[in-house]
Amino acid sequence: MASLRPRQQTTTARSYGFVLAVAACFGLMCFLVGYSAGTRGPMPASAVDQPPGIGSPLGNMLGRLGRPLAPVGQLDHDPLESFMEVYEQLRANFYQPITEEDKTKLAYGAVRGMLRELGDPYTRFMDPKDYASFRQDTQGHFKGIGAELRLDLNLLRIVVNRVYSGNPAAKSGLQAGDWIVKVDDRATDDMSIDAVVALIRGEQGTNVTLTVYRPERPITALDPEVAKRIGADADEPRRDPAPFDPTKLLDIVITRDDVTVPIVESEMLPNQQGYIALNTFNEETYRQMAEAVAALEADGMKGLILDVRQNPGGSLEEVIKVVSYFVETGPVVHIEAPRRPLEALQVQPRFDGDFELPLVVMIDGMSASASEILAGALQDNRRATVVGEKSFGKGLVQTVLKLSDDSALVVTTSVYLTPNRRNINTRGIEPDIAVPWEIEARREALREADANKTPLLDWDLQVQAASQHLAELIAGTAKVGGPNPASIEPAPAAQATP
């Protein structure tokens, strides 16, 4: 028996080898059949019925690399493959030629549609023209009308946030709160704010016509009566732009001119109280603010009011510099992103202003993003008392990614938390000293003050409250945070979606 074992093993090995060879041949045949079906598809009934372009190099490449080798319909397809198939079918079958300009429009439109499906109003696409306009914004100098716009998330409308006095928009009668419905007869319903701004800007001396709707009073999500009247659900975010009364539209013709938006405004209030308004956070904000502080200190300033009301935010890097001017050490903000550990962005000592005077920060419902980072950092560090109204509540960070054709993708990449790890997204920053002020009453007071050149402290109720508290801080009769400081205990960290 011992002499038979090697022979049996040899016979068994040959049998296994035969089976493997047959299997390999069968597999190769299946591969060839599948390859043929995958690259050629089912044979058409007539050669003239086959759409032109299906056999193009791009189509063949997609067929070999992107499609399964099995017949169509038997396996799931990658949705991105369908996107390219739609383009190829349009190019082959559309009744008019698809030009290079059409190709660009189709591609950009598809990208915008893709981003819209994310349901995040802050993630958006900028074509090269929009991106160039965006970069001008960071410098604060451009040809335009002198108005600040925002996307109202409750209305899904482009709304005038602020009109800068002395500029073309103010001279033509545009007002804060106006809805921009059309620009030169082009509806803005489906436009990003960058696209609307790009349409409004243009050559100096040319005209632009804005068709606006001016509501009788501001419409917010907290006004169920008005929300019901315009067809909105007060408890749900809108999916379509809010309707308006077409009989009440106004056409405002504005002549474009050289516009310099004030980034930092400053003045000395009575009793040697310094006042600085930061209107945005761009590459000039820290430098201009530091120069304004130095000038006020040279004039004998005893305390400072820092006003970020109506400031929609801006550069994260710039607000870190501004916080570093007033805070010596510690985190400015925590960044929470998917699949990454919590990151603390620290105070940068090289931007320390060695500022030790009493400080008050003013916020309102339009103080957002970088403005809230500033207010939250100074509040958590007990460096300043926060006065005014609850802030907007935008605790999301966007990253601008330049693309190869000079367009750009603005994508929400993370959530930010205050130094004490408070998540303020949709919650906002609560002021230490609340000073409510109806927005329409404030706008009316501002219009009258501009017309009559009324000093700030004589008409601004919130500045009056900030000034009173600052005087108490200077005198040592009040502490930072006021009589009822906002709770700054750490909250649970936000749960980032993986």
Side-chain angles (χ1 to χ4, degrees):
M1 293 292 292
S3 62
L4 295 178
R5 286 175 182 170
R7 184 168 186 171
Q8 286 178 339
Q9 291 173 351
T10 301
T11 304
T12 303
R14 289 176 179 174
S15 300
Y16 286 151
F18 177 78
V19 171
L20 290 174
V22 171
C25 292
F26 181 78
L28 180 59
M29 292 174 60
C30 291
F31 172 80
L32 292 174
V33 172
Y35 180 85
S36 176
T39 56
R40 295 192 311 176
M43 185 65 69
S46 170
V48 296
D49 293 333
Q50 183 173 356
I54 296 298
S56 66
L58 178 60
N60 288 336
M61 179 185 72
L62 290 171
R64 289 172 181 153
L65 299 180
R67 292 191 305 203
L69 297 180
V72 176
Q74 292 188 8
L75 293 175
D76 291 337
H77 288 252
D78 184 343
L80 291 179
E81 178 187 346
S82 298
F83 166 76
M84 288 303 300
E85 286 179 346
V86 167
Y87 172 71
E88 285 296 315
Q89 293 288 357
L90 283 175
R91 194 173 68 168
N93 297 304
F94 190 61
Y95 79 103
Q96 291 182 343
I98 302 295
T99 65
E100 284 300 313
E101 182 180 358
D102 293 332
K103 181 179 178 180
T104 300
K105 290 180 180 179
L106 289 172
Y108 288 173
V111 170
R112 290 188 174 101
M114 176 172 61
L115 298 181
R116 191 180 303 115
E117 289 302 312
L118 293 175
D120 175 20
Y122 304 114
T123 295
R124 63 193 192 276
F125 173 75
M126 295 186 287
D127 63 29
K129 185 176 180 180
D130 294 345
Y131 183 46
S133 176
F134 172 83
R135 294 177 64 187
Q136 283 185 326
D137 276 344
T138 66
Q139 299 169 353
H141 188 83
F142 46 83
K143 304 293 190 298
I145 64 172
E148 180 183 273
L149 308 184
R150 63 182 172 87
L151 173 63
D152 190 305
L153 299 183
N154 299 319
L155 305 171
L156 291 188
R157 288 284 179 190
I158 304 298
V159 177
V160 178
N161 189 53
R162 181 175 181 179
V163 177
Y164 293 100
S165 60
N167 280 294
K171 295 176 182 177
S172 300
L174 192 68
Q175 296 182 11
D178 287 349
W179 301 6
I180 306 296
V181 176
K182 294 180 182 179
V183 179
D184 284 336
D185 211 33
R186 291 182 59 180
T188 63
D189 290 18
D190 200 33
M191 290 186 186
S192 69
I193 191 167
D194 304 298
V196 173
V197 169
L199 285 178
I200 292 175
R201 290 180 180 170
E203 292 296 322
Q204 186 175 10
T206 61
N207 291 338
V208 60
T209 300
L210 303 186
T211 302
V212 306
Y213 173 69
R214 184 168 295 164
E216 297 176 359
R217 56 185 174 128
I219 300 175
T220 71
L222 302 179
D223 192 340
E225 177 185 344
V226 176
K228 181 179 180 181
R229 179 156 54 85
I230 67 170
D233 186 336
D235 299 321
E236 295 291 336
R238 292 196 60 82
R239 300 293 296 177
D240 300 302
F244 53 84
D245 185 347
T247 65
K248 295 184 178 180
L249 294 179
L250 303 173
D251 284 335
I252 300 178
V253 180
I254 305 174
T255 301
R256 300 178 178 99
D257 203 348
D258 194 31
V259 172
T260 301
V261 175
I263 298 169
V264 174
E265 299 173 280
S266 64
E267 64 176 282
M268 185 72 82
L269 301 179
N271 302 315
Q272 300 303 107
Q273 294 183 356
Y275 171 86
I276 295 178
L278 305 181
N279 296 318
T280 188
F281 288 91
N282 65 19
E283 61 190 35
E284 285 290 313
T285 301
Y286 172 81
R287 182 186 65 81
Q288 292 190 21
M289 184 205 71
E291 290 176 354
V293 172
L296 290 169
E297 286 181 321
D299 288 341
M301 175 175 62
K302 297 180 180 180
L304 176 63
I305 297 173
L306 197 60
D307 190 349
V308 290
R309 293 176 300 170
Q310 301 292 302
N311 184 331
S315 167
L316 176 61
E317 291 79 7
E318 203 70 13
V319 73
I320 290 175
K321 295 178 186 178
V322 172
V323 173
S324 300
Y325 191 91
F326 300 104
V327 178
E328 293 183 357
T329 60
V332 175
V333 66
H334 296 279
I335 303 297
E336 188 173 60
R339 300 173 295 278
R340 291 170 54 187
L342 192 67
E343 178 184 8
L345 302 183
Q346 301 289 335
V347 163
Q348 299 181 11
R350 68 181 183 277
F351 297 111
D352 183 5
D354 194 27
F355 186 87
E356 298 181 353
L357 298 177
L359 182 63
V360 173
V361 176
M362 300 184 64
I363 61 173
D364 67 4
M366 287 311 301
S367 303
S369 191
S371 295
E372 293 172 297
I373 291 177
L374 172 66
L378 297 180
Q379 189 179 56
D380 281 5
N381 282 282
R382 293 291 188 188
R383 181 61 187 88
T385 300
V386 179
V387 176
E389 299 170 281
K390 185 173 75 170
S391 64
F392 184 84
K394 180 179 178 290
L396 302 174
V397 178
Q398 282 71 47
T399 301
V400 180
L401 306 172
K402 182 181 177 182
L403 305 179
S404 58
D405 64 345
D406 289 328
S407 62
L409 175 65
V410 182
V411 58
T412 299
T413 53
S414 52
V415 176
Y416 75 74
L417 312 175
T418 69
N420 280 0
R421 301 189 182 184
R422 289 184 290 159
N423 182 351
I424 60 89
N425 194 45
T426 72
R427 300 179 179 92
I429 298 286
E430 292 285 352
D432 300 311
I433 300 176
V435 186
W437 196 3
E438 175 64 36
I439 188 170
E440 190 55 39
R442 179 183 173 186
R443 287 173 178 163
E444 181 60 32
L446 175 60
R447 284 192 288 268
E448 291 182 3
D450 282 345
N452 300 320
K453 307 299 182 184
T454 307
L456 180 66
L457 199 59
D458 290 348
W459 67 269
D460 193 318
L461 301 180
Q462 293 173 334
V463 171
Q464 292 171 1
S467 175
Q468 179 180 345
H469 179 69
L470 182 60
E472 294 170 353
L473 290 175
I474 294 171
T477 58
K479 295 182 179 181
V480 173
N484 298 301
S487 172
I488 58 171
E489 295 301 318
Q495 298 297 315
T497 304

